[in-house]
Amino acid sequence: MRLFDTENIHSGDDRDEYEKDYARLIQSPSFRRLQGKSQVFGAGSGDYYRTRLTHSIEVSQIAREVARRLGKQYELLSRREHPGLMIDPEVVEVAALAHDLGHPPFGHKGEEVLNDLLTEEFGLKYEGNAQNFRILMFLEKRAGSDSGLDLSASVLLGINKYPYNLDEPGRLKGVYHMEWEGIRYLRDLWGMPEGCATLEAQLMDLCDDIAYSTHDLEDGIRAGKIPMSRTLFEDERIVAALIQEIKDDPGNHSMNWEQIDLPSMVRKVLSGYLEQWEQIYIDCGGEPSRARREMKARWVRKFANQVGILDDPAKGWKQVTFIRDGAQDIELLRTMEILKKLAWVTLIKDFRVQRLHKRSEVMIRRLWSSFKEYETGKLIIPPDWHESFEQHRGRWQWERLVADYLSGMTDAYAEKVYAEFFASRSGSIYERD
Ligand SMILES: Nc1ccn([C@H]2C[C@H](O)[C@@H](COP(=O)(O)OP(=O)(O)OP(=O)(O)O)O2)c(=O)n1
């Protein structure tokens, strides 16, 4: 990682730090592979739907715009005064582009299954956010280095939404122990308070939520999974399912759900959402694709325009959040959460998506069992992976390397390897991997 504006590897290179970060990231294979990883619908199930790549690009575009506005609106500190309390649009853009690199194939189901396998058998963890750092700091290679992309401290900390050592007992999200050493060193150098993320990381995180809470619904409407009629908020099954989801997983605790009349809030959000849809649909001359685009854009603007910075007295730090009249806009936070849950109950819990999850689980479990023993796994893993293992022998466990290899696969590549091993007849072995 680069702490300061260091010397350039190529003489005559006059790019600034973040131009280098941006170039290294978007030219990396891990970044390209995001195009083949599922967001909600399986990658490859239709060119219209988001993949992890198009999602990351949308997050970066929203985050960059908001960052620029915040820079004009607030008197932010310079990187020299306090590096964790400034917002640079270019840093936020690169952090957003990199924030989902650690996602395995088949979306969150892949993450859950890999974690179960590592935990059950080896007492290790797998987590997408932690894997980001493993990829950026060790697994990716660039010209001039065999280990990691050597990104700037600002970008690495801009991706670090969970500033904890994941390997501590009881932690569900964070950074694996080995990478945490480096991240903690940077945090100490920057004087970051315990448990606080930089403003850039917080902004990236909020823009991630803005992007997926709106685009998942756009995809869901297109897929015909979200009924576009005013009856949605009268649909007791959907309302009840949403209420149950919120009770089971209240998200950010500052939302204080217990202080409100939950059924009316849910109905209000659903009816507001649909009123807008009906009006927009009419304004767009009844053309569904234009109406979907228009509605998504309106919701993104509604959320993005409310983002601001507040003091967080509980943490003695600053918070990037929705703001109205100088205070946190909890109503808007709740609205966003309800839209996320609407995608959850209408799309993710749909039996076809659940079947895809089931299929993913079977594939990842069987691939895992094929590679997990070193003596047999080393014969079927690509040679460069085996070389990396030999290079780091004693420091990297084989099972961690297998998790790295499997999680780097796109959905289609995982399907291909699975078919080679388990389908009755595989394709040509001379097809390039
Ligand atoms: N079981 C799940 C959970 C989520 N999603 C989808 C919905 C969103 O499009 C996206 C959310 O994933 P993120 O990794 O961006 O989620 P968070 O930022 O909320 O989680 P984390 O903090 O773990 O990154 O994944 C899904 O398809 N299936």
Short mmCIF file of all heavy atoms in Angstrom, two decimals, residues 38-41 52 55 99-100 103 106-109 111-112 127-129 161-162 173 205 208-209 211-213 215-216 340 343-344 348 353-354 357, ligand 1:
data_model
loop_
_atom_site.label_atom_id
_atom_site.label_comp_id
_atom_site.label_asym_id
_atom_site.label_seq_id
_atom_site.Cartn_x
_atom_site.Cartn_y
_atom_site.Cartn_z
N SER A 38 -23.24 -12.53 -9.95
CA SER A 38 -24.65 -12.15 -9.74
C SER A 38 -24.79 -10.97 -8.81
O SER A 38 -24.06 -10.87 -7.83
CB SER A 38 -25.41 -13.29 -9.05
OG SER A 38 -25.40 -14.43 -9.81
N GLN A 39 -25.76 -10.14 -9.10
CA GLN A 39 -26.22 -9.16 -8.10
C GLN A 39 -27.41 -9.82 -7.39
O GLN A 39 -27.27 -10.38 -6.33
CB GLN A 39 -26.61 -7.84 -8.79
CG GLN A 39 -27.06 -6.75 -7.82
CD GLN A 39 -25.91 -6.15 -6.99
OE1 GLN A 39 -24.76 -6.29 -7.32
NE2 GLN A 39 -26.24 -5.52 -5.89
N VAL A 40 -28.57 -9.84 -8.04
CA VAL A 40 -29.71 -10.59 -7.48
C VAL A 40 -30.05 -11.73 -8.44
O VAL A 40 -30.09 -12.89 -8.07
CB VAL A 40 -30.94 -9.67 -7.28
CG1 VAL A 40 -32.15 -10.51 -6.88
CG2 VAL A 40 -30.65 -8.62 -6.22
N PHE A 41 -30.27 -11.36 -9.71
CA PHE A 41 -30.54 -12.39 -10.72
C PHE A 41 -29.20 -13.00 -11.12
O PHE A 41 -28.19 -12.30 -11.11
CB PHE A 41 -31.20 -11.76 -11.95
CG PHE A 41 -32.54 -11.16 -11.63
CD1 PHE A 41 -32.68 -9.82 -11.34
CD2 PHE A 41 -33.67 -11.97 -11.58
CE1 PHE A 41 -33.90 -9.28 -11.03
CE2 PHE A 41 -34.90 -11.44 -11.26
CZ PHE A 41 -35.03 -10.09 -10.98
N ARG A 52 -22.64 -7.53 -10.64
CA ARG A 52 -21.82 -6.82 -9.64
C ARG A 52 -21.01 -5.70 -10.32
O ARG A 52 -20.68 -4.72 -9.68
CB ARG A 52 -20.88 -7.77 -8.91
CG ARG A 52 -21.57 -8.65 -7.93
CD ARG A 52 -21.80 -7.98 -6.57
NE ARG A 52 -22.89 -8.66 -5.88
CZ ARG A 52 -23.55 -8.16 -4.84
NH1 ARG A 52 -23.25 -6.99 -4.32
NH2 ARG A 52 -24.53 -8.84 -4.29
N HIS A 55 -23.48 -2.76 -11.12
CA HIS A 55 -23.84 -2.19 -9.81
C HIS A 55 -22.70 -1.30 -9.30
O HIS A 55 -22.92 -0.17 -8.87
CB HIS A 55 -24.15 -3.31 -8.82
CG HIS A 55 -24.07 -2.89 -7.39
ND1 HIS A 55 -25.00 -2.06 -6.81
CD2 HIS A 55 -23.15 -3.17 -6.42
CE1 HIS A 55 -24.65 -1.84 -5.54
NE2 HIS A 55 -23.54 -2.49 -5.29
N HIS A 99 -15.55 -1.91 -4.17
CA HIS A 99 -16.16 -2.35 -2.90
C HIS A 99 -16.73 -3.76 -2.93
O HIS A 99 -16.92 -4.36 -1.88
CB HIS A 99 -17.23 -1.35 -2.43
CG HIS A 99 -18.57 -1.54 -3.07
ND1 HIS A 99 -18.86 -1.14 -4.34
CD2 HIS A 99 -19.71 -2.12 -2.60
CE1 HIS A 99 -20.12 -1.46 -4.63
NE2 HIS A 99 -20.65 -2.05 -3.59
N ASP A 100 -17.00 -4.31 -4.11
CA ASP A 100 -17.61 -5.65 -4.18
C ASP A 100 -16.68 -6.70 -4.80
O ASP A 100 -17.13 -7.80 -5.14
CB ASP A 100 -18.92 -5.59 -4.99
CG ASP A 100 -20.14 -5.35 -4.10
OD1 ASP A 100 -19.99 -5.44 -2.86
OD2 ASP A 100 -21.22 -5.08 -4.63
N HIS A 103 -16.83 -10.43 -3.70
CA HIS A 103 -18.03 -11.28 -3.81
C HIS A 103 -17.72 -12.55 -4.58
O HIS A 103 -17.17 -12.50 -5.68
CB HIS A 103 -19.16 -10.52 -4.52
CG HIS A 103 -20.10 -9.91 -3.55
ND1 HIS A 103 -21.00 -10.66 -2.84
CD2 HIS A 103 -20.27 -8.65 -3.15
CE1 HIS A 103 -21.68 -9.88 -2.04
NE2 HIS A 103 -21.26 -8.65 -2.19
N PHE A 106 -22.40 -16.38 -7.51
CA PHE A 106 -23.76 -16.62 -6.99
C PHE A 106 -24.11 -15.73 -5.79
O PHE A 106 -24.83 -16.16 -4.89
CB PHE A 106 -23.95 -18.10 -6.62
CG PHE A 106 -23.47 -19.06 -7.67
CD1 PHE A 106 -22.53 -20.04 -7.37
CD2 PHE A 106 -23.94 -18.97 -8.98
CE1 PHE A 106 -22.07 -20.92 -8.34
CE2 PHE A 106 -23.49 -19.85 -9.95
CZ PHE A 106 -22.55 -20.82 -9.63
N GLY A 107 -23.57 -14.54 -5.78
CA GLY A 107 -24.01 -13.52 -4.82
C GLY A 107 -23.86 -13.94 -3.37
O GLY A 107 -22.93 -14.65 -3.00
N HIS A 108 -24.81 -13.47 -2.56
CA HIS A 108 -24.69 -13.68 -1.12
C HIS A 108 -24.79 -15.15 -0.74
O HIS A 108 -24.30 -15.56 0.30
CB HIS A 108 -25.74 -12.87 -0.37
CG HIS A 108 -25.31 -11.44 -0.22
ND1 HIS A 108 -24.61 -10.99 0.87
CD2 HIS A 108 -25.43 -10.39 -1.04
CE1 HIS A 108 -24.34 -9.71 0.71
NE2 HIS A 108 -24.83 -9.32 -0.44
N LYS A 109 -25.45 -15.93 -1.58
CA LYS A 109 -25.54 -17.36 -1.25
C LYS A 109 -24.14 -17.97 -1.30
O LYS A 109 -23.76 -18.76 -0.43
CB LYS A 109 -26.48 -18.08 -2.24
CG LYS A 109 -26.80 -19.48 -1.83
CD LYS A 109 -27.58 -19.48 -0.53
CE LYS A 109 -27.75 -20.86 0.03
NZ LYS A 109 -28.44 -20.81 1.35
N GLU A 111 -21.37 -16.53 -0.73
CA GLU A 111 -20.63 -16.07 0.45
C GLU A 111 -21.00 -16.89 1.69
O GLU A 111 -20.14 -17.36 2.44
CB GLU A 111 -20.98 -14.59 0.68
CG GLU A 111 -20.23 -13.92 1.80
CD GLU A 111 -20.69 -12.46 2.02
OE1 GLU A 111 -21.89 -12.17 1.78
OE2 GLU A 111 -19.87 -11.64 2.42
N GLU A 112 -22.30 -17.11 1.83
CA GLU A 112 -22.79 -17.87 3.00
C GLU A 112 -22.25 -19.30 2.98
O GLU A 112 -21.78 -19.82 4.00
CB GLU A 112 -24.33 -17.86 2.92
CG GLU A 112 -25.06 -18.54 4.03
CD GLU A 112 -26.53 -18.71 3.64
OE1 GLU A 112 -27.15 -17.74 3.12
OE2 GLU A 112 -27.04 -19.83 3.83
N GLU A 127 -15.75 -13.82 4.22
CA GLU A 127 -16.66 -12.67 4.20
C GLU A 127 -16.25 -11.77 3.04
O GLU A 127 -15.06 -11.51 2.84
CB GLU A 127 -16.56 -11.94 5.54
CG GLU A 127 -17.80 -11.13 5.90
CD GLU A 127 -17.64 -9.67 5.53
OE1 GLU A 127 -16.58 -9.09 5.78
OE2 GLU A 127 -18.60 -9.11 4.96
N GLY A 128 -17.25 -11.33 2.27
CA GLY A 128 -16.97 -10.58 1.05
C GLY A 128 -16.15 -9.31 1.28
O GLY A 128 -15.23 -9.01 0.51
N ASN A 129 -16.49 -8.57 2.33
CA ASN A 129 -15.76 -7.32 2.59
C ASN A 129 -14.31 -7.61 2.96
O ASN A 129 -13.40 -6.90 2.53
CB ASN A 129 -16.43 -6.52 3.70
CG ASN A 129 -17.79 -6.01 3.29
OD1 ASN A 129 -17.89 -5.06 2.53
ND2 ASN A 129 -18.84 -6.67 3.77
N LYS A 161 -15.55 -0.41 5.29
CA LYS A 161 -16.77 -0.02 6.02
C LYS A 161 -16.87 -0.69 7.38
O LYS A 161 -17.56 -0.21 8.25
CB LYS A 161 -18.06 -0.32 5.27
CG LYS A 161 -18.04 -1.06 4.00
CD LYS A 161 -19.41 -1.05 3.38
CE LYS A 161 -19.99 -2.44 3.32
NZ LYS A 161 -21.12 -2.57 2.42
N TYR A 162 -16.22 -1.83 7.56
CA TYR A 162 -16.26 -2.51 8.86
C TYR A 162 -14.85 -2.53 9.43
O TYR A 162 -14.08 -3.46 9.17
CB TYR A 162 -16.78 -3.95 8.69
CG TYR A 162 -18.15 -4.00 8.07
CD1 TYR A 162 -18.32 -4.42 6.76
CD2 TYR A 162 -19.28 -3.61 8.79
CE1 TYR A 162 -19.57 -4.45 6.17
CE2 TYR A 162 -20.53 -3.63 8.21
CZ TYR A 162 -20.67 -4.05 6.90
OH TYR A 162 -21.91 -4.07 6.33
N LYS A 173 -18.46 -9.24 10.44
CA LYS A 173 -17.90 -8.55 9.27
C LYS A 173 -16.65 -7.81 9.68
O LYS A 173 -16.52 -7.40 10.83
CB LYS A 173 -18.93 -7.56 8.71
CG LYS A 173 -20.19 -8.27 8.27
CD LYS A 173 -21.12 -7.40 7.50
CE LYS A 173 -22.35 -8.22 7.15
NZ LYS A 173 -23.23 -7.58 6.21
N ASP A 205 -20.48 3.57 1.38
CA ASP A 205 -21.45 2.61 1.92
C ASP A 205 -22.89 3.09 1.71
O ASP A 205 -23.77 2.34 1.27
CB ASP A 205 -21.14 2.47 3.43
CG ASP A 205 -21.85 1.32 4.07
OD1 ASP A 205 -22.38 0.47 3.34
OD2 ASP A 205 -21.87 1.25 5.32
N ASP A 208 -23.86 2.84 -1.89
CA ASP A 208 -24.13 1.44 -2.23
C ASP A 208 -25.61 1.14 -1.93
O ASP A 208 -26.34 0.59 -2.76
CB ASP A 208 -23.20 0.56 -1.37
CG ASP A 208 -23.33 -0.93 -1.65
OD1 ASP A 208 -23.82 -1.30 -2.72
OD2 ASP A 208 -22.91 -1.73 -0.79
N ASP A 209 -26.05 1.56 -0.76
CA ASP A 209 -27.45 1.33 -0.38
C ASP A 209 -28.41 2.08 -1.31
O ASP A 209 -29.45 1.55 -1.72
CB ASP A 209 -27.70 1.80 1.06
CG ASP A 209 -27.04 0.89 2.08
OD1 ASP A 209 -26.48 -0.14 1.67
OD2 ASP A 209 -27.09 1.19 3.29
N ALA A 211 -27.90 2.91 -4.38
CA ALA A 211 -27.91 2.25 -5.69
C ALA A 211 -28.76 0.99 -5.66
O ALA A 211 -29.67 0.83 -6.46
CB ALA A 211 -26.48 1.94 -6.14
N TYR A 212 -28.49 0.09 -4.71
CA TYR A 212 -29.21 -1.19 -4.84
C TYR A 212 -30.65 -1.13 -4.38
O TYR A 212 -31.50 -1.86 -4.88
CB TYR A 212 -28.40 -2.37 -4.29
CG TYR A 212 -28.42 -2.67 -2.81
CD1 TYR A 212 -29.52 -3.23 -2.20
CD2 TYR A 212 -27.29 -2.46 -2.03
CE1 TYR A 212 -29.51 -3.56 -0.85
CE2 TYR A 212 -27.27 -2.78 -0.69
CZ TYR A 212 -28.38 -3.32 -0.10
OH TYR A 212 -28.37 -3.65 1.24
N SER A 213 -30.97 -0.21 -3.45
CA SER A 213 -32.38 -0.12 -3.03
C SER A 213 -33.24 0.38 -4.18
O SER A 213 -34.44 0.13 -4.21
CB SER A 213 -32.54 0.81 -1.82
OG SER A 213 -32.21 2.14 -2.16
N HIS A 215 -32.07 0.19 -7.77
CA HIS A 215 -31.96 -0.59 -9.02
C HIS A 215 -32.48 -2.01 -8.89
O HIS A 215 -32.94 -2.59 -9.89
CB HIS A 215 -30.56 -0.52 -9.63
CG HIS A 215 -29.45 -1.24 -8.91
ND1 HIS A 215 -29.56 -2.49 -8.40
CD2 HIS A 215 -28.16 -0.86 -8.69
CE1 HIS A 215 -28.39 -2.86 -7.89
NE2 HIS A 215 -27.53 -1.87 -8.03
N ASP A 216 -32.46 -2.57 -7.69
CA ASP A 216 -33.05 -3.91 -7.55
C ASP A 216 -34.54 -3.85 -7.89
O ASP A 216 -35.11 -4.77 -8.48
CB ASP A 216 -32.88 -4.46 -6.13
CG ASP A 216 -31.44 -4.92 -5.85
OD1 ASP A 216 -30.61 -4.86 -6.77
OD2 ASP A 216 -31.16 -5.32 -4.70
N LYS A 340 -35.52 -1.69 0.26
CA LYS A 340 -34.61 -2.85 0.20
C LYS A 340 -35.37 -4.13 0.52
O LYS A 340 -35.19 -5.16 -0.12
CB LYS A 340 -33.49 -2.71 1.23
CG LYS A 340 -32.40 -1.74 0.90
CD LYS A 340 -31.27 -2.01 1.90
CE LYS A 340 -30.47 -0.82 2.24
NZ LYS A 340 -29.58 -1.01 3.39
N ALA A 343 -37.55 -5.46 -2.27
CA ALA A 343 -36.81 -6.30 -3.22
C ALA A 343 -36.60 -7.68 -2.62
O ALA A 343 -36.68 -8.71 -3.29
CB ALA A 343 -35.47 -5.66 -3.55
N TRP A 344 -36.33 -7.71 -1.34
CA TRP A 344 -36.08 -8.98 -0.65
C TRP A 344 -37.29 -9.90 -0.74
O TRP A 344 -37.19 -11.05 -1.15
CB TRP A 344 -35.72 -8.66 0.81
CG TRP A 344 -35.36 -9.86 1.60
CD1 TRP A 344 -36.20 -10.61 2.35
CD2 TRP A 344 -34.07 -10.47 1.70
NE1 TRP A 344 -35.51 -11.65 2.93
CE2 TRP A 344 -34.21 -11.59 2.54
CE3 TRP A 344 -32.82 -10.18 1.15
CZ2 TRP A 344 -33.13 -12.42 2.86
CZ3 TRP A 344 -31.76 -11.00 1.46
CH2 TRP A 344 -31.92 -12.10 2.30
N ILE A 348 -35.86 -11.77 -3.95
CA ILE A 348 -34.87 -12.71 -3.43
C ILE A 348 -35.57 -13.93 -2.83
O ILE A 348 -35.08 -15.05 -2.94
CB ILE A 348 -33.95 -11.99 -2.42
CG1 ILE A 348 -33.22 -10.85 -3.16
CG2 ILE A 348 -32.94 -12.94 -1.79
CD1 ILE A 348 -32.54 -9.83 -2.29
N VAL A 353 -35.61 -17.70 -7.57
CA VAL A 353 -34.31 -17.22 -7.10
C VAL A 353 -33.80 -18.16 -6.00
O VAL A 353 -32.63 -18.52 -5.95
CB VAL A 353 -34.42 -15.75 -6.59
CG1 VAL A 353 -33.12 -15.29 -5.96
CG2 VAL A 353 -34.79 -14.83 -7.74
N GLN A 354 -34.71 -18.64 -5.18
CA GLN A 354 -34.32 -19.59 -4.13
C GLN A 354 -33.80 -20.90 -4.72
O GLN A 354 -32.89 -21.52 -4.17
CB GLN A 354 -35.49 -19.85 -3.17
CG GLN A 354 -35.83 -18.65 -2.28
CD GLN A 354 -34.67 -18.27 -1.37
OE1 GLN A 354 -34.02 -19.11 -0.77
NE2 GLN A 354 -34.38 -16.97 -1.28
N HIS A 357 -30.38 -20.32 -5.69
CA HIS A 357 -29.53 -20.38 -4.49
C HIS A 357 -29.22 -21.83 -4.13
O HIS A 357 -28.11 -22.18 -3.76
CB HIS A 357 -30.24 -19.71 -3.30
CG HIS A 357 -30.24 -18.21 -3.38
ND1 HIS A 357 -30.73 -17.42 -2.37
CD2 HIS A 357 -29.79 -17.37 -4.32
CE1 HIS A 357 -30.59 -16.15 -2.72
NE2 HIS A 357 -30.03 -16.10 -3.90
N1 LIG B 1 -29.19 -12.98 0.35
C1 LIG B 1 -29.07 -11.89 -0.44
C2 LIG B 1 -28.67 -10.67 0.09
C3 LIG B 1 -28.53 -9.59 -0.78
N2 LIG B 1 -28.79 -9.73 -2.08
C4 LIG B 1 -28.60 -8.60 -3.00
C5 LIG B 1 -29.49 -7.41 -2.76
C6 LIG B 1 -28.59 -6.27 -3.13
O1 LIG B 1 -28.63 -6.01 -4.53
C7 LIG B 1 -27.22 -6.74 -2.79
C8 LIG B 1 -26.74 -6.26 -1.46
O2 LIG B 1 -25.46 -6.77 -1.29
P1 LIG B 1 -24.29 -5.94 -0.64
O3 LIG B 1 -23.11 -6.81 -0.52
O4 LIG B 1 -24.12 -4.64 -1.34
O5 LIG B 1 -24.98 -5.76 0.78
P2 LIG B 1 -24.71 -4.88 1.98
O6 LIG B 1 -23.88 -3.71 1.61
O7 LIG B 1 -26.02 -4.62 2.60
O8 LIG B 1 -23.92 -5.93 2.86
P3 LIG B 1 -22.40 -5.98 3.28
O9 LIG B 1 -22.32 -4.93 4.28
O10 LIG B 1 -22.18 -7.35 3.76
O11 LIG B 1 -21.54 -5.66 2.08
O12 LIG B 1 -27.27 -8.16 -2.83
C9 LIG B 1 -29.18 -10.96 -2.57
O13 LIG B 1 -29.42 -11.08 -3.77
N3 LIG B 1 -29.32 -12.03 -1.74
#
